């Protein structure tokens, strides 16, 4: 599994592709530019042979950008072989996007690039230049599988007073990013979702790296935590089972990884989870008896057990890797 379809909705807005052809009329959505999430994608098959800076400039000229609240970026050059300049390009025009509240960087799908090959520059400049940003989604890794800077954190330790949602989708997220994230100050953060990924693709975080994220008071308003898509999902579950931060959560997502009976047993032996509304364990390796035990333990919790997997001779697989 990977990402097979572009998103159609983002941060509560329908996603609309901005047409790159300057001969086309200004999009009808420009009449109310804050009512949609604008997607800027340099896919040559759909549009024309432009790169992201050109597309962004055209967008700013043809849409009342001061009212734009949500942006989604896609392919930044024809074949995604060059360095991604999306972050620098957006930082350079931040003054023309004063209302930007939600940003998705790199909505690329399988036919464009695998998650572990998508390069992401450091994101801290975005947080510094857009103090009003409330929602940030990012797909990719700091090294993109073809660079030597895998130890560079995706986000350096930062402060941001408005950020409420942070989603990091990766086939392999370096431990340096996890450690840096634990040093960030996001007092309004309510939703944190991390795809940890596979060590083969840079996802080398350990339970020790994750531990600071699980401390009480780290993110005082956090209500949803996703630590997912990992090869150490049972160990993650065991750490979560005793983590102080769980008491403040309303939903917990441990899906897409190698979660099995050992992880379930750790959850059952840990702190009560009755206060949760939802516990997502989808893409799992649980036995039928253990699935029943989980449902019986917390009957008021909506437990997601979709996409049951069978371990084969090659072991267990995570859902999103290459």
């Amino acid at each position: 599994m990977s990402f097979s379809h572009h998103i159609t909705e983002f941060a509560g807005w329908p996603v609309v592709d901005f047409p790159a052809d300057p001969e086309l009329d200004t999009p009808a959505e420009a009449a109310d530019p804050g009512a949609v999430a604008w997607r800027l994608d340099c896919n040559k098959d759909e549009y024309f042979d432009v790169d992201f800076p050109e597309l962004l400039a055209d967008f700013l000229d043809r849409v009342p950008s001061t009212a734009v609240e949500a942006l989604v970026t896609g392919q930044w050059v024809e074949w995604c072989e060059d360095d991604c300049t999306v972050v620098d390009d957006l930082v350079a025009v931040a003054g023309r996007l004063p209302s930007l509240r939600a940003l998705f960087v790199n909505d690329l799908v399988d036919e464009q690039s695998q998650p572990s090959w998508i390069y992401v520059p450091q994101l801290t400049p975005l947080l510094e230049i857009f103090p009003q940003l409330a929602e940030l989604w990012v797909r990719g890794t700091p090294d993109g599988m073809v660079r030597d800077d895998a130890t560079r954190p995706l986000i350096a330790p930062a402060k941001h007073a408005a950020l409420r949602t942070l989603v990091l989708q990766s086939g392999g997220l370096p431990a340096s990013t996890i450690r840096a994230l634990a040093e960030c100050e996001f007092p309004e953060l309510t939703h944190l979702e991390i795809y940890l990924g596979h060590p083969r693709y840079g996802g080398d975080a350990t339970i020790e790296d994750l531990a600071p994220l699980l401390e009480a008071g780290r993110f005082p308003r956090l209500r949803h935590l996703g630590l997912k898509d990992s090869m150490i999902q049972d160990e993650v579950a065991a750490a979560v089972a005793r983590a102080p931060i769980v008491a403040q959560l309303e939903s917990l997502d441990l899906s897409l990884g190698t979660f099995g009976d050992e992880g379930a047993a750790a959850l059952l032996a840990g702190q009560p989870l009755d206060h949760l509304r939802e516990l997502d364990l989808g893409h799992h390796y649980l036995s039928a008896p253990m699935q029943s035990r989980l449902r019986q333990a917390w009957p008021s919790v909506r437990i997601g057990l979709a996409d049951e997997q069978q371990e084969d001779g090659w072991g267990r697989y995570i859902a999103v890797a290459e």
Side-chain angles (χ1 to χ4, degrees):
M1 171 188 165
S2 191
F3 300 102
S4 58
H5 298 91
H6 293 300
I7 60 171
T8 58
E9 183 177 301
F10 177 54
W13 290 281
V15 175
V16 172
D17 280 297
F18 172 72
D21 186 351
E23 296 183 0
L24 295 176
D25 293 333
T26 300
E29 291 84 2
D32 188 4
V36 299
W38 295 92
R39 188 169 185 275
L40 307 182
D41 192 322
C42 300
N43 187 329
K44 186 178 179 181
D45 292 337
E46 295 180 8
Y47 298 134
F48 292 83
D49 190 9
V50 299
D51 59 20
F52 188 79
E54 294 175 276
L55 181 58
L56 179 60
D58 189 31
F59 172 75
L60 294 173
D61 287 341
R62 293 166 58 199
V63 171
S65 62
T66 57
V68 170
E69 296 191 26
L71 279 180
V72 178
T73 74
Q75 195 161 311
W76 55 86
V77 290
E78 181 180 348
W79 300 112
C80 291
E81 292 178 343
D82 299 329
D83 282 350
C84 176
T85 65
V86 168
V87 170
D88 290 340
D89 297 332
L90 289 172
V91 167
V93 301
R96 299 183 66 180
L97 294 165
S99 300
L100 189 66
R101 299 287 186 272
L103 175 63
F104 191 132
V105 179
N106 293 340
D107 176 30
L108 275 67
V109 296
D110 296 350
E111 64 186 37
Q112 295 173 305
S113 184
Q114 295 294 317
S116 57
W117 288 83
I118 302 173
Y119 176 61
V120 183
Q122 192 173 90
L123 301 167
T124 305
L126 288 174
L127 297 175
E128 293 173 343
I129 202 72
F130 291 109
Q132 75 280 9
L133 197 66
E135 187 154 348
L136 177 61
W137 292 51
V138 183
R139 185 174 296 166
T141 61
D143 62 330
M145 285 295 293
V146 293
R147 293 166 176 79
D148 297 325
D149 54 354
T151 58
R152 174 183 60 80
L154 198 59
I155 297 179
K159 297 181 180 180
H160 199 283
L163 192 67
R164 294 176 57 84
T165 296
L166 178 61
V167 178
L168 303 177
Q169 298 178 337
S170 174
L173 196 64
S176 59
T177 296
I178 303 297
R179 292 193 293 267
L181 184 58
E183 297 182 43
C184 291
E185 294 182 27
F186 299 147
E188 296 300 316
L189 194 70
T190 61
H191 183 112
L192 176 62
E193 187 175 336
I194 304 172
Y195 288 58
L196 296 167
H198 198 292
R200 185 184 304 153
Y201 304 108
D204 58 352
T206 65
I207 298 303
E208 288 70 27
D209 296 317
L210 291 168
L213 289 177
L214 302 176
E215 296 174 357
R218 174 63 59 186
F219 301 118
R221 292 185 176 272
L222 196 69
R223 297 297 179 265
H224 173 87
L225 176 62
L227 297 175
K228 54 201 292 186
D229 192 52
S230 84
M231 291 295 295
I232 57 169
Q233 205 67 52
D234 282 343
E235 295 175 55
V236 171
V240 166
R242 58 180 183 272
I245 201 171
V246 171
Q248 71 187 59
L249 299 180
E250 296 176 356
S251 55
L252 176 64
D253 187 349
L254 302 176
S255 67
L256 304 184
T258 57
F259 185 82
D261 284 9
E262 183 180 344
L267 289 181
L268 290 167
Q271 61 188 303
L273 298 179
D274 307 79
H275 65 288
L276 294 177
R277 291 202 314 258
E278 183 172 2
L279 172 62
D280 192 349
L281 304 174
H283 184 92
H284 62 84
Y285 293 82
L286 291 167
S287 65
M290 186 59 81
Q291 292 182 51
S292 296
R293 286 185 60 191
L294 288 171
R295 291 192 180 97
Q296 292 169 7
W298 307 299
S300 64
V301 180
R302 185 166 64 251
I303 302 178
L305 293 170
D307 198 15
E308 181 177 344
Q309 303 292 307
Q310 298 297 323
E311 186 171 355
D312 59 22
W314 297 96
R316 298 179 183 182
Y317 300 88
I318 60 176
V320 177
E322 188 179 12

